[in-house]
Amino acid sequence: MKIKSLIFLGLLHCCVFANAQVKTIDPVEYVNPLMGTQSLHSLSNGNTYPAICRPWGMNFWTPQTGKMGDGWAYVYTAEKIRGFKQTHQPSPWMNDYGQFSIMPVTGKLSFAEDERGSWFSHKAEVSKPYYYSVYLADYDVTTEITATERAAHFQITFPENEQSSIVIDAFDKGSYIKIIPSENKIIGYTTRNSGGVPQNFRNYFVLQFDKPFATNYTWHDKVLEKDKLELTDNHVGAVVGFKTKRGEIVNVKVSSSFISAEQAELNLATELGKASFNETVAESKKEWNKVLGKLTAEGGSDEQLKTFYSSLYRTVCFPQKQYEIDANGKTVHYSPYNGKVLPGYMFAGTGFWDTFRALYPLLNLVYPSINKEMQEGLINDYKEGGFLPEWSSPGFRDVMVGNNSASVVADAYIKGLRGYDINKLYEALLHGANNEGPLDAVGRKGVEYYNTLGYVPYDVKINENAARTLEYAYDDFTIWKLAKALNRPKKEISLFEKRMMNYKNLYNPEIGLMSGRNKDGSFPKNFNPFKWGDAFTEGNAWHYSWSVFHDINGLIDLMGGQKKFTAKLDAVFTTPPIFDDSYYGAVIHEIREMQIMNMGQYAHGNQPIQHMIYLYNYAGEPWKTQYWSREVMNRLYKPTPDGYCGDEDNGQTSAWYVFSAMGFYPVCPGTDEYVLGAPLFKKVTVQLENGKQLVINAPNNSETNKYVQELKWNNATHTKNYINHFDILKGGELNFDMNSQPNLQRGTSSSAFPYSYSTSK
């Protein structure tokens, strides 16, 4: 596309830099947890829910508009709230585990979920990461929630009523409840899950009330039993009642544990104790500001700041802590692999197919200490499950492709994380790279073909074979990088160095893109590059052909050189959003999201292509990266319920925005480089854990000044199209001189290009 037309398109957008804010004081107040909640099965605008929680907390809480077992727990367009649910759900597609709910009602004892729901309005709803409040109109009740890592405090304001009640729903598939009136307490457990758990899985909970119970009921299915205090069945719950005055507040402190009822009690005492509701709100807000405040954005519009911090909030939600602190102060966890209680860290609720790309690199840059815990958790995953998970929720889940745990492990070590058993993790990588796992999505499906032919064939009934091949090749690169860093045997290093070039086996010169390849070496006749799925995962050849993160220069050579390569990149945006959905038999939501965004074949709503914008830097046209990164930030992200352009996916799509707003992106995790784009704000300050600061200045930034005229690092002219991770860790200033016209000379020589294996030797 010609630069003149790019500039014209940019002028069509409203001036989002109007009313620029000078400095962010209270970053959590810019967060809108409702961003992305206006989603459907057929069209995702994020597929998020408003999580009331702490960063990486074990338990989240959310208002529940959907039915029990519905992955769409909270949908912005819903009219009624059925309860307030403890959730561990990473996405609606993975659904939930260990969930139960609380719901206040007045008058008639409506306890079944279809009967107890109350109308509500977003005008009478306040949603913050540290505090949630909503008015339940049918009951004249206001419910407020704040949370710690493993506990929550409810403050429920009732009207004057002879029968004000609180319903506890332990959900179906096997549950237990017990009312203890003498202690104003309810205990129980839920077993409901969506897979990935052992047979003995339970989430034990305890609720402590500050008001004696006037009435006590337990219930199972739709049967209510007065004064029966204990019940075990498929689906049980409890109702406790009070006589209340108008404006009377009932406090409920609630906690849970995957380990035992006693541990749930300990979690409650440790994390809430005698703290008041307002004290816990204040403490939670302080913690959120501490974590979000590692990045201070200045000089953007109010909308941009809200989008930035709402995205940053999502990046520090997942994965969730699966570990607890026992009575001796020791870190312990319930293993979702073998059902035992064991020492050490454990995390759950992430899919590496999504999050290896930018979420884990963001942790390595800004929050390395929490990722050190996560790496220790991965060691326990391997010891207890025999493989590293590629999707954990909470244990192994059979979804997506690739062996991208290799990237997550290697990137952390290459970026300088230490203090854990990296050799055990490397052992896990070797095991995963050479074996099929207990599920198709664990280890490497088709590994024998891959290791002998150099690709997973198209015609051997292994689905999404080309995607597997491309991801295995990149994963082999990350293992090669780690093997070199650990001084592994030369033969072993050479093996992975050879395998990482397997991506070349799928380049189909007839279509100029990657495609499936038959076992006999031929390419399928009439291969359709617009066909979603089939050889690829939730995408087509236009999306997956760029998945050669480690050797873009090699890909450029395959495509015929820099000019043909950049022309192909341009064509992604200019080719109409046509598609073939025959593999799925219907238009899946990812297809629809590409179709309606008016960016051609560019499908930012799904992960495989999200790095593609940055590839112009490898072929001497970095100004196109600058243009398109700004376009995507401005057009596809808003701090609104429909604010994402597809599944947010556990912080990945948000991490793309956070990195891009800072002006760089980790195209190839496993290297120590970030590829440059164009910053969104006039200034961003990153507080690094080592006490240093990275200051990113772009004082001339504006809606029209989106191009980098000159770049200086610590006052020295920086001619590269990338910046080094370890240089950033030393602290310093990155000064962007922004202009309305692209600099067609900067970053055009091969000496400026980011890392590619082919040019690194």
Side-chain angles (χ1 to χ4, degrees), residues 3 17 67 73 77 99 102 104 113 183 263 274 325 381 434-435 543 592 617-618 633 667 750 756:
I3 294 301
F17 280 85
K67 289 191 175 185
T77 52
Q99 66 265 48
I102 298 167
E113 65 172 358
E183 300 180 38
Q263 183 66 44
K274 296 182 179 179
I325 310 300
D381 291 335
N434 290 299
N435 293 279
H543 308 142
R592 188 69 73 209
N617 283 283
Y618 296 75
M633 283 187 279
V667 167
S750 59
S756 282

Side-chain angles (χ1 to χ4, degrees), residues 16 38 208-209 246 446 484 492 504 533 535 701 710 713 715:
V16 295
Q38 189 175 313
Q208 183 68 61
F209 298 74
R246 179 156 191 83
K484 289 203 301 178
E492 189 172 288
K504 292 185 176 183
N701 227 344
E710 185 183 24
W713 172 245
N715 294 319

Side-chain angles (χ1 to χ4, degrees), residues 215-249:
T215 55
N216 304 286
Y217 298 85
T218 53
W219 56 272
H220 58 98
D221 299 319
K222 294 189 177 182
V223 179
L224 189 67
E225 301 200 37
K226 194 173 191 303
D227 294 328
K228 185 171 185 177
L229 301 180
E230 189 171 13
L231 195 59
T232 306
D233 208 327
N234 173 61
H235 183 188
V236 305
V239 185
V240 292
F242 322 91
K243 180 179 180 180
T244 56
K245 300 176 182 177
R246 179 156 191 83
E248 184 172 350
I249 293 172

Side-chain angles (χ1 to χ4, degrees), residues 48-249:
T48 65
Y49 55 84
I52 308 105
C53 59
R54 295 285 177 95
W56 306 289
M58 188 176 87
N59 299 330
F60 293 177
W61 287 85
T62 190
Q64 181 187 351
T65 63
K67 289 191 175 185
M68 177 179 63
D70 185 353
W72 282 262
Y74 177 100
V75 177
Y76 189 80
T77 52
E79 298 165 338
K80 291 185 176 183
I81 287 175
R82 301 169 184 266
F84 301 93
K85 184 173 79 160
Q86 185 186 94
T87 177
H88 307 92
Q89 178 172 292
S91 84
W93 308 104
M94 303 304 291
N95 217 308
D96 210 345
Y97 62 93
Q99 66 265 48
F100 62 96
S101 71
I102 298 167
M103 181 65 178
V105 299
T106 56
K108 180 184 175 183
L109 287 184
S110 301
F111 61 92
E113 65 172 358
D114 287 335
E115 299 167 4
R116 68 181 184 237
S118 170
W119 279 79
F120 78 107
S121 168
H122 298 299
K123 299 178 181 66
E125 179 186 41
V126 177
S127 182
K128 302 286 185 182
Y130 61 89
Y131 171 80
Y132 179 86
S133 174
V134 69
Y135 177 68
L136 301 173
D138 289 340
Y139 303 121
D140 192 21
V141 166
T142 297
T143 299
E144 300 168 275
I145 312 171
T146 188
T148 65
E149 288 187 344
R150 299 170 188 84
H153 191 152
F154 282 71
Q155 186 169 267
I156 302 169
T157 304
F158 284 101
E160 183 169 350
N161 202 281
E162 292 293 319
Q163 184 65 52
S164 293
S165 304
I166 295 176
V167 179
I168 295 87
D169 189 339
F171 284 25
D172 63 355
K173 310 298 184 185
S175 47
Y176 164 77
I177 203 87
K178 181 179 181 180
I179 304 172
I180 309 174
S182 62
E183 300 180 38
N184 303 336
K185 183 186 294 184
I186 297 174
I187 61 173
Y189 64 75
T190 177
T191 66
R192 198 177 217 290
N193 66 84
S194 305
V197 299
Q199 285 294 318
N200 68 346
F201 171 79
R202 290 178 177 179
N203 187 29
Y204 299 89
F205 56 79
V206 55
L207 295 91
Q208 183 68 61
F209 298 74
D210 70 345
K211 187 176 176 66
F213 308 148
T215 55
N216 304 286
Y217 298 85
T218 53
W219 56 272
H220 58 98
D221 299 319
K222 294 189 177 182
V223 179
L224 189 67
E225 301 200 37
K226 194 173 191 303
D227 294 328
K228 185 171 185 177
L229 301 180
E230 189 171 13
L231 195 59
T232 306
D233 208 327
N234 173 61
H235 183 188
V236 305
V239 185
V240 292
F242 322 91
K243 180 179 180 180
T244 56
K245 300 176 182 177
R246 179 156 191 83
E248 184 172 350
I249 293 172

Side-chain angles (χ1 to χ4, degrees), residues 267-488:
N267 292 343
L268 187 70
T270 302
E271 298 197 5
L272 283 179
K274 296 182 179 179
S276 70
F277 182 84
N278 289 338
E279 286 172 338
T280 304
V281 168
E283 187 61 32
S284 183
K285 181 177 180 179
K286 180 181 177 182
E287 179 65 18
W288 276 106
N289 275 330
K290 176 184 174 183
V291 172
L292 300 178
K294 296 294 184 182
L295 276 67
T296 302
E298 305 173 52
S301 69
D302 191 63
E303 180 180 88
Q304 288 170 329
L305 288 167
K306 288 178 178 178
T307 306
F308 181 79
Y309 283 108
S310 297
S311 296
L312 187 58
Y313 150 78
R314 282 289 301 183
T315 69
V316 299
C317 280
F318 296 98
Q320 293 174 286
K321 295 176 178 178
Q322 196 78 4
Y323 66 83
E324 304 174 52
I325 310 300
D326 70 12
N328 298 314
K330 302 292 186 181
T331 299
V332 293
H333 65 271
Y334 166 83
S335 173
Y337 303 100
N338 61 26
K340 298 177 181 178
V341 177
L342 296 165
Y345 294 108
M346 180 70 65
F347 287 78
T350 189
F352 293 152
W353 184 84
D354 304 294
T355 54
F356 85 85
R357 304 165 195 269
L359 186 278
Y360 280 91
L362 185 67
L363 297 180
N364 290 330
L365 177 63
V366 185
Y367 309 104
S369 60
I370 192 70
N371 197 19
K372 178 180 174 292
E373 289 187 11
M374 293 173 189
Q375 299 298 312
E376 294 188 59
L378 287 174
I379 294 170
N380 291 326
D381 291 335
Y382 173 58
K383 288 179 177 178
E384 296 159 26
F387 284 84
L388 292 179
E390 302 301 332
W391 238 113
S392 62
S393 182
F396 296 133
R397 297 293 295 275
D398 199 14
V399 63
M400 309 313 290
V401 303
N403 182 216
N404 298 307
S405 54
S407 176
V408 171
V409 169
D411 191 56
Y413 193 80
I414 296 299
K415 298 276 179 60
L417 271 67
R418 297 293 186 272
Y420 53 94
D421 190 351
I422 188 60
N423 290 304
K424 178 59 71 172
L425 278 177
Y426 183 79
E427 176 189 309
L429 297 191
L430 288 182
H431 183 66
N434 290 299
N435 293 279
E436 292 193 351
L439 306 171
D440 284 359
V442 179
R444 291 189 179 183
K445 181 71 172 176
V447 67
E448 290 188 15
Y449 290 114
Y450 177 81
N451 287 351
T452 55
L453 297 176
Y455 59 94
V456 181
Y458 181 74
D459 56 349
V460 296
K461 297 184 179 179
I462 296 177
N463 67 325
E464 300 168 6
N465 39 80
R468 295 180 193 275
T469 299
L470 292 169
E471 294 195 30
Y472 294 165
Y474 161 69
D475 298 331
D476 283 337
F477 162 78
T478 64
I479 297 173
W480 171 72
K481 289 282 286 185
L482 184 58
K484 289 203 301 178
L486 297 177
N487 295 312
R488 299 292 298 181

Side-chain angles (χ1 to χ4, degrees), residues 1-21:
M1 183 179 287
K2 294 181 180 179
I3 294 301
K4 190 179 292 183
S5 64
L6 297 184
I7 295 170
F8 173 75
L9 281 172
L11 292 173
L12 294 177
H13 302 299
C14 64
C15 184
V16 295
F17 280 85
N19 303 317
Q21 301 297 309

